Amino acid sequence: MTDAVPSPHLPDGLSPETLVVAAGRPAPGPDVPVNPPVVLSSTFHAGGPVGYARTSNPTWEAFEEVLGTLEGGRALSFASGMGAVSAVLDLVPTGGVVALSAHTYSGTAARLRDLEAAGRAQVRLVQIDDADAVAAACEGASVLWIETPTNPALELCDLSAAAEAARAHGVLTVCDNTFATPLLQRPLEHGLDIVMHSATKAIAGHSDVLMGAVVTRDDALYGRLLRVRTLVGAIPGPFEAWLALRGMRTLGLRLKQAQASALELATRLEGHPAVSRVRYPGLPGDPGHALAARQMDGFGSIVSFETVGTADDVDAMCDAARLVLHATSLGGVETSWERRRRWIEERPDIPETLIRLSVGIEDVEDLWTDIAQALDRLV
Ligand SMILES: *Cc1c(COP(=O)(O)O)cnc(C)c1O
């Protein structure tokens, strides 16, 4: 199991950008490897707390140590973000009300719709950027499921206010922190109970692995989630955990570059005649800007924007990019975009032409040249 005091050989007071590099390594010693090995073993010699590799694995533990250290809790890794989502939803009592951010990752919303159809849970959609609506939705709820910034509308939720309202009603709080990553936002510090991640995205960062995680500082919750993971079995392979950890080492640098480019591209998009609306919390005119400046350590690498033209025009425009990848997913080193409503699971109140742009680490002028030549086709 993860040490209560991770990486005890490290000095105190290190910044998150340092910890993401330094934590989760074997304790120093002559000829000890500097990286955790990929441990390929389904079983372990008897006498220890793990015993069998559906419970834990040393390669996952290294990944969990880094993520837990950054979020300020204890982490558990899962086979995918949806594996982590499902483990948390397993905690909802039968018939319990889940107050759900109206704009949420489409897979989370779809899973909850299925649970509702089966009589397993009730869903109550809440406009997550409206603190009064969040407080009202907590009444009688079992779980408050937050995304901030939301996917793909990029609305901001006031985490401290939401945690306070939920506490007053005894509601378990969860934040899907995939868009922000723990370098930009740490929901446990705002009083939330559980943080959930699709590590597939910016944490792993190279579009080559699926993985998920949950983090909590509550020992009882940790124990329940560990039990769900062990018995449901949505566990990552050791090599996936190693890839995610290797990718995470450069998260600080990748985010710095991607965020700077995202702000530049968002600003230029606002000035393009084919663009009707740009959503990015880093823009001074964005409705979430003041809260993001207070609650986050950066504005992230995702920009959403709407254009003139039809859905078909926009799909053709996305195809016309030569550098930007026309592909789903986000958080990779490669810039990608897609029209979100091309997915049947996306909510109907997301505008037909809304494009979600995931900004990578390429040269920003190369990116703008490519985006502008594609956009020019719409006018
Ligand atoms: C991708 C994503 C998920 C699901 O994660 P997978 O790793 O694809 O299973 C959950 N939440 C958000 C915000 C996501 O972007």
Side-chain angles (χ1 to χ4, degrees):
M1 291 292 93
T2 312
D3 283 334
V5 184
S7 308
H9 57 281
L10 291 176
D12 292 336
L14 298 176
S15 72
E17 284 74 14
T18 302
L19 285 167
V20 75
V21 176
R25 295 186 185 275
D31 280 346
V32 170
V34 301
N35 286 304
V38 183
V39 177
L40 295 168
S41 193
S42 62
T43 188
F44 301 100
H45 287 285
V50 175
Y52 186 56
R54 191 162 15 78
T55 304
S56 194
N57 167 288
T59 319
W60 310 349
E61 287 173 17
F63 171 82
E64 290 164 354
E65 184 181 315
V66 179
L67 185 61
T69 300
L70 292 174
E71 291 282 10
R74 293 169 80 195
L76 287 164
S77 40
F78 285 83
S80 65
M82 284 310 297
V85 168
S86 302
V88 177
L89 293 181
D90 218 72
L91 304 182
V92 179
T94 298
V97 171
V98 179
L100 176 69
S101 177
H103 296 130
T104 315
Y105 174 65
S106 53
T108 306
R111 181 64 192 143
L112 269 163
R113 279 198 301 276
D114 287 357
L115 291 177
E116 187 168 53
R120 184 50 194 83
Q122 296 174 61
V123 179
R124 182 185 288 166
L125 295 181
V126 55
Q127 192 54 41
I128 211 72
D129 54 2
D130 178 343
D132 294 336
V134 172
C138 286
E139 209 172 318
S142 302
V143 171
L144 171 64
W145 191 286
I146 295 170
E147 272 189 27
T148 180
T150 58
N151 181 2
L154 300 180
E155 300 132 332
L156 271 280
C157 171
D158 185 328
L159 287 170
S160 296
E164 197 178 300
R167 206 175 304 116
H169 293 280
V171 180
L172 183 76
T173 45
V174 186
C175 180
D176 182 336
N177 204 26
T178 300
F179 270 36
T181 84
L183 292 190
L184 305 188
Q185 172 173 283
R186 288 165 295 280
L188 300 183
E189 291 177 0
H190 294 273
L192 272 84
D193 297 310
I194 298 174
V195 168
M196 176 254 130
H197 279 286
S198 169
T200 309
K201 314 293 169 52
I203 285 181
H206 295 73
S207 309
D208 53 7
V209 62
L210 273 96
M211 231 179 100
V214 299
V215 194
T216 181
R217 27 172 88 150
D218 180 310
D219 285 342
L221 276 176
Y222 176 89
R224 290 169 72 193
L225 289 162
L226 171 61
R227 185 170 169 84
V228 172
R229 182 180 70 176
T230 303
L231 296 179
V232 174
I235 55 164
F239 187 61
E240 279 69 17
W242 184 88
L243 269 178
L245 177 58
R246 183 189 161 107
M248 186 163 42
R249 295 299 188 199
T250 55
L251 180 62
L253 270 177
R254 286 188 281 108
L255 274 177
K256 241 178 229 164
Q257 172 74 30
Q259 291 190 114
S261 297
L263 179 59
E264 184 62 35
L265 295 174
T267 306
R268 294 190 194 185
L269 282 167
E270 276 195 315
H272 194 283
V275 175
S276 53
R277 178 174 175 189
V278 182
R279 306 173 192 225
Y280 180 64
L283 291 172
D286 191 87
H289 180 69
L291 176 57
R294 203 162 71 234
Q295 176 167 283
M296 302 174 73
D297 292 333
F299 300 110
S301 57
I302 312 297
V303 179
S304 290
F305 63 98
E306 294 150 48
T307 65
V308 299
T310 65
D312 285 346
D313 296 337
V314 173
D315 287 339
M317 184 204 75
C318 288
D319 263 342
R322 298 173 65 190
L323 174 62
V324 176
L325 303 177
H326 186 188
T328 196
S329 200
L330 54 101
V333 290
E334 331 79 355
T335 299
S336 63
W337 63 3
E338 67 168 340
R339 190 178 63 84
R340 279 304 296 174
R341 285 287 301 283
R342 76 191 178 96
W343 297 99
I344 190 84
E345 302 283 18
E346 191 53 84
R347 271 180 62 89
D349 60 345
I350 293 297
E352 271 287 358
T353 68
L354 183 138
I355 296 157
R356 190 184 64 196
L357 171 70
S358 171
V359 181
I361 63 170
E362 304 93 334
D363 178 82
V364 69
E365 295 303 333
D366 288 340
L367 288 174
W368 178 248
T369 301
D370 192 45
I371 290 169
Q373 68 80 22
L375 276 174
D376 287 347
R377 292 161 191 257
L378 291 176
V379 286

